[in-house]
Amino acid sequence: MTTAPARGDDGTSVSAPADPNALITAYGSHVLAVEPTGAEPVPESARHGSALGLLWTWLSPNMEFATVYIGVISVLFFGLGFWTATAALLLGTAVGSATHGWLSVYGPRFGVPQMVAGRLAFGRWGNALPAALNAAGAGLGWFAVNSVSGAFALATLSGMPTLLCLVLVVIAQIAVAYLGHNFVHGFERYALPPLTVVFLAASAVTLGKAHLGGAASTTGTTGGFLLAFSTAFGYAAGWNPFAADYTRYLPAATARWKVALYPAVGVFVGVSLLAVVGAASATIATGERNPTAAFTGHLPGWLGNLTLLAIMLGAVSANAINIYSAGMSFVSLGLRKLPRGPVALVIGALGFLVAWSGLSDAGHSYEAFLLVIAYWVAPWLAVVFTDEWLRRRAGSTDATAAEQMADAGYEVWAGPIAMVAGTVLSVLLFSSQEQFTGYLVRAAPSIGDLTCLVGFALTAVLYAGLRRVPALAPSR
C-alpha cells in the first residue's frame, strides 16, 4: 500500500509534487490507497463522489448488534413493554438522525472534518473539549462496544476463547480504518447487502416469535420511556460529531438537501429497524447470558450462524467509522503534523484495552455509555446550532467562516463555557443512572432522565447570552 497513488488520473507522477494539494488530488477516488490528508481542508480539485453514497455509508454501520441491544435494554433494563419501547426508540432515533443530516452539510461547504468545523462555535483552543471527548468516545467507547459484540459473536460461532476473538475482530477493524476515507466508503457499500439480507431474515423470525400483544406490551414508567429515548438519541446522535468527516470530499456544488437527506435516512432506518427488533427479541425468554447467543438462540441453526457472521461484519463496519473519525478528531486538536494512519493504529490499540475490560458486564456498561454520550452530545449540538443561527442572522458568509476556522488566533470562549455549564448542571439535576442520580430526580423520581433535553435547552440559552460578553465573543 502507498500513501497515495504513484500516478494521478492523467498519468503524471505525483511522487514529489510542487503543488501542496497534489497528493490529495491524486488520491481522488482510489480505494486501495492510504488517505494522505489529515484535518486540513480538501481542495475542490480533490472533491469526488455523490450524495447517494452516504445512504449506505450510514445504513451499513448501523446494521449491527449494538443497535439491536438498545432495544433489548429498553425492555429488560428500563421495564418498558414492546410498544412503549418502540415509541421511545423511534422518537429518540428520529431526533438524532435529523441532527446528523444537518451537520453532514458542513462537509461540502468547508471541506473539513466535523471537529474542525466546530472551531466556528468553540474557537481554536476551546474546540479541544469536544474534539477530545469525541476522540475518546469514538476510539475508546464506541470501539469497545462494537468490538465486544463482534467478539461474542465469533466466540459463539467458533467456540474460541472470547479474548482471542476480540483480538481478531480488532485487527480487522483497524485495517479498514487505516486506509482511510475512500476505503471506508467502499467497505460500507459492499458490506450493506449481506448485512441487510441476514438481519432482515433474522428480524422476520424474531418478530414472528416475539410476544408483542397483551396489556404488558404497553407498560412502563415515564422515567423508563425517557431513558429509552435518551439511549436511542445517544446512539443515533453519537454519529453526529463524525458527520462532515464523510461528506468533506463531496463537490461544493452538491445539492445540500441530498447531503442532509441520505445520511439522516441511513441512520434512522438502520437504527430504528434493529432497535425495534431488539425490543421484540427481549420478549422471548432464552436464559442465555451471552448477549449475542441470546439474540440468535431462537433462530434456526443456519440463520443463527449467518446472523453471528453478520454481527461480526457489522462490528467491523461500525468500528471502521469509529476509528477513522476518532483519528480525525485527534488531529483536529491542531496536531496536523501527526499522520492520520498511525494515530488510528494507536487509538485502535487503546480501544482494544477498553473492550477487554468490558467483556464481563457488557449490558450495563453499554447502558451507561449510551447515556453519557447523550449527556455531552446534546449540549455540543446546542452550541453548534445556536452559533449557526446567530451567524445567519448576522449575515456571515461561508468564506468568512472558512477564514475563521484556519485562523490560529480565533477563539469563542462562550462555546466551551456554555457546554461545560450546561452539561454539568443537567447531569447534576436530571441524570438517572445506576452510578449517579440527579438531585431533582432523587426528590421526584417520576421526573425521569431529562438530562439531554435540559442540557440542550440550557446550553443554547447560555451560549446566546455569553456571546454578548465581549471577552467571550469571537475574538476576530
Side-chain angles (χ1 to χ4, degrees):
M1 300 296 177
T2 59
T3 56
R7 294 183 178 275
D9 293 336
D10 61 356
T12 59
S13 173
V14 296
S15 57
D19 180 359
N21 290 327
L23 280 177
I24 187 60
T25 300
Y27 175 63
S29 59
H30 292 270
V31 175
L32 295 178
V34 179
E35 182 185 2
T37 189
E40 61 272 19
V42 176
E44 191 63 33
S45 60
R47 304 290 188 93
H48 63 275
S50 67
L52 180 60
L54 299 171
L55 181 61
W56 54 71
T57 296
W58 289 111
L59 183 55
S60 183
N62 287 299
M63 292 285 183
E64 54 154 345
F65 185 71
T67 316
V68 172
Y69 211 58
I70 65 175
V72 173
I73 63 178
S74 296
V75 174
L76 295 185
F77 294 176
F78 304 153
L80 299 179
F82 172 76
W83 294 109
T84 307
T86 295
L89 293 169
L90 292 178
L91 182 59
T93 302
V95 175
S97 301
T99 53
H100 188 71
W102 181 277
L103 291 170
S104 295
V105 176
Y106 280 68
R109 284 175 65 190
F110 302 113
V112 296
Q114 192 68 59
M115 283 295 115
V116 173
R119 292 175 183 171
L120 291 174
F122 287 87
R124 183 81 174 196
W125 288 106
N127 193 54
L129 172 63
L133 285 171
N134 192 50
L140 304 181
W142 280 119
F143 182 83
V145 166
N146 295 310
S147 296
V148 167
S149 66
F152 276 133
L154 181 56
T156 302
L157 184 64
S158 66
M160 294 189 297
T162 306
L163 181 57
L164 174 59
C165 294
L166 179 63
V167 172
L168 296 176
V169 168
V170 166
I171 290 174
Q173 293 167 161
I174 294 176
V176 176
Y178 182 83
L179 287 170
H181 179 274
N182 292 345
F183 192 82
V184 171
H185 275 288
F187 183 86
E188 305 300 349
R189 178 177 184 175
Y190 291 105
L192 180 60
L195 287 172
T196 301
V197 170
V198 173
F199 274 118
L200 283 179
S203 298
V205 174
T206 299
L207 291 172
K209 293 186 176 183
H211 306 291
L212 308 181
S217 66
T218 57
T219 59
T221 64
T222 300
F225 183 92
L226 289 172
L227 282 171
F229 167 85
S230 296
T231 54
F233 170 75
Y235 188 96
W239 298 116
N240 287 183
F242 311 171
D245 298 1
Y246 302 93
T247 60
R248 67 195 184 111
Y249 279 84
L250 290 175
T254 306
R256 292 186 179 181
W257 69 267
K258 294 181 180 180
V259 180
L261 177 64
Y262 291 125
V265 171
V267 172
F268 179 76
V269 172
V271 177
S272 59
L273 171 64
L274 291 189
V276 170
V277 171
S281 72
T283 68
I284 306 172
T286 63
E288 286 280 358
R289 294 181 60 84
N290 182 315
T292 54
F295 178 66
T296 58
H298 62 276
L299 301 175
W302 64 271
L303 181 55
N305 289 336
L306 285 177
T307 303
L308 290 170
L309 288 172
I311 288 172
M312 286 188 292
L313 178 59
V316 176
S317 181
N319 272 350
I321 283 183
N322 286 322
I323 302 174
Y324 177 83
S325 284
M328 277 290 136
S329 293
F330 191 76
V331 298
S332 293
L333 292 169
L335 307 174
R336 291 190 180 185
K337 293 183 179 180
L338 289 178
R340 181 203 55 79
V343 167
L345 291 178
V346 173
I347 291 175
L350 293 175
F352 163 75
L353 297 177
V354 176
W356 186 3
S357 69
L359 287 175
S360 61
D361 187 21
H364 287 88
S365 297
Y366 186 37
E367 172 198 346
F369 174 68
L370 283 172
L371 290 173
V372 169
I373 290 293
Y375 293 169
W376 82 260
V377 168
W380 173 76
L381 287 171
V383 173
V384 172
F385 289 158
T386 305
D387 182 77
E388 178 78 8
W389 176 66
L390 292 174
R391 286 176 174 278
R392 293 195 176 196
R393 287 190 62 190
S396 177
T397 65
D398 283 357
T400 300
E403 292 176 2
Q404 292 170 332
M405 286 181 203
D407 185 351
Y410 179 75
E411 295 298 343
V412 193
W413 290 109
I417 292 174
M419 179 178 168
V420 169
T423 303
V424 171
L425 288 173
S426 59
V427 169
L428 287 176
L429 295 176
F430 292 100
S431 63
S432 180
Q433 290 204 48
E434 289 189 355
Q435 301 300 320
F436 180 78
T437 301
Y439 295 111
L440 289 182
V441 177
R442 294 179 199 174
S446 61
I447 293 176
D449 194 313
L450 297 172
T451 308
C452 60
L453 299 175
V454 173
F456 182 91
L458 181 58
T459 303
V461 172
L462 284 173
Y463 181 71
L466 291 173
R467 277 283 299 263
R468 297 174 179 273
V469 179
L472 305 179
S475 57
R476 294 185 183 178

